[in-house]
Amino acid sequence: MIRASTDSPSISPLPMLREIGVVTLLSSVSVLFVFFLRAGPFLTLIPASVFGDLQFWRLFTFPLASGRLFRLAIDLLFLTLWGMAVERTRGSVNFLLRIVLTTWTLAFVECIFYSGLSLFKSDYASHIISYGFFKLYFVELTALCFESPHSTTKFCALPLRVKNYLIPFIALFFEALYSRNLHAVPCIAAGVLDAFAECRFDPFD
């Protein structure tokens, strides 16, 4: 007599991650925290809160945060446009690792950059300096410009293709024109570090 097994089938998180998709998962979490729980201010990257109040989770959660509803929509748009293409080519697990590593790199660069600026202007240390997936998109674009500088890429979902090596300069121009600050500088620096870490280019070659 064959006894039926009463054990429930094990559920592995990796197949579930591939089925749901990293882009869908991150978008849902971001909407939950920002729109429904109103927890955006507790997720943003603020050096004074990270090192002064020991709120280290901000080093990992700031891409999930966003400003107003319009900015949240923009962040999710760029996450979808950039993320789906990368997730299809690299796979869900590799794309998630890419998001984590890019987040850490950008957090490291921005903490150093704005902590240095706080020596000249004290309010930079307590300023909300980073949030949203839009900055991660610019980091990836900057890394891409070192991988294939003379290829062309569609810029920010616009019907405009530009040479990859021009992308950092265009980002700086639009950032300075729109918000009159240098928030694009840490993104470019993080993109250079990412490209170097992945051996996309050798600055000493």
Side-chain angles (χ1 to χ4, degrees), residues 20-188:
I20 296 174
V22 174
V23 172
T24 303
L25 179 63
L26 292 178
S27 300
S28 302
V29 172
S30 182
V31 170
L32 174 65
F33 276 102
V34 175
F35 187 70
F36 290 101
L37 300 181
R38 306 291 183 180
F42 300 99
L43 306 178
T44 53
L45 181 60
I46 308 174
S49 299
V50 173
F51 301 110
D53 301 327
L54 302 182
Q55 298 177 1
F56 295 114
W57 68 82
R58 294 179 182 271
L59 296 172
F60 312 98
T61 60
F62 71 92
L64 298 173
S66 191
R68 300 175 181 176
L69 185 59
F70 176 75
R71 176 58 190 263
L72 175 62
I74 293 295
D75 285 332
L76 296 184
L77 172 63
F78 279 96
L79 173 64
T80 303
L81 293 174
W82 161 55
M84 283 189 170
V86 178
E87 188 172 3
R88 280 196 301 267
T89 56
R90 296 189 179 186
S92 298
V93 177
N94 289 333
F95 175 59
L96 182 60
L97 291 176
R98 175 71 184 165
I99 287 284
V100 172
L101 292 176
T102 303
T103 299
W104 288 351
T105 303
L106 183 57
F108 171 76
V109 172
E110 290 201 306
C111 283
I112 293 179
F113 181 75
Y114 287 101
S115 295
L117 287 181
S118 67
L119 298 176
F120 305 96
K121 192 175 181 181
S122 59
D123 64 339
Y124 269 110
S126 58
H127 184 60
I128 297 179
I129 61 171
S130 189
Y131 55 84
F133 292 101
F134 185 72
K135 285 194 169 186
L136 299 186
Y137 174 73
F138 265 123
V139 172
E140 181 67 18
L141 284 181
T142 302
L144 179 65
C145 85
F146 290 97
E147 180 182 11
S148 51
H150 296 288
S151 299
T152 59
T153 301
K154 185 179 291 187
F155 183 72
C156 293
L158 298 175
L160 173 67
R161 301 188 71 88
V162 298
K163 293 287 187 179
N164 288 343
Y165 66 83
L166 294 175
I167 289 175
F169 302 101
I170 296 176
L172 273 175
F173 172 76
F174 278 105
E175 188 72 30
L177 184 66
Y178 174 73
S179 55
R180 298 180 182 178
N181 56 48
L182 297 177
H183 288 177
V185 173
C187 296
I188 294 173

Side-chain angles (χ1 to χ4, degrees), residues 98 143 146-147 191-203:
R98 175 71 184 165
F146 290 97
E147 180 182 11
V192 173
L193 289 177
D194 271 2
F196 181 68
E198 293 191 2
C199 299
R200 298 192 189 187
F201 84 110
D202 184 357

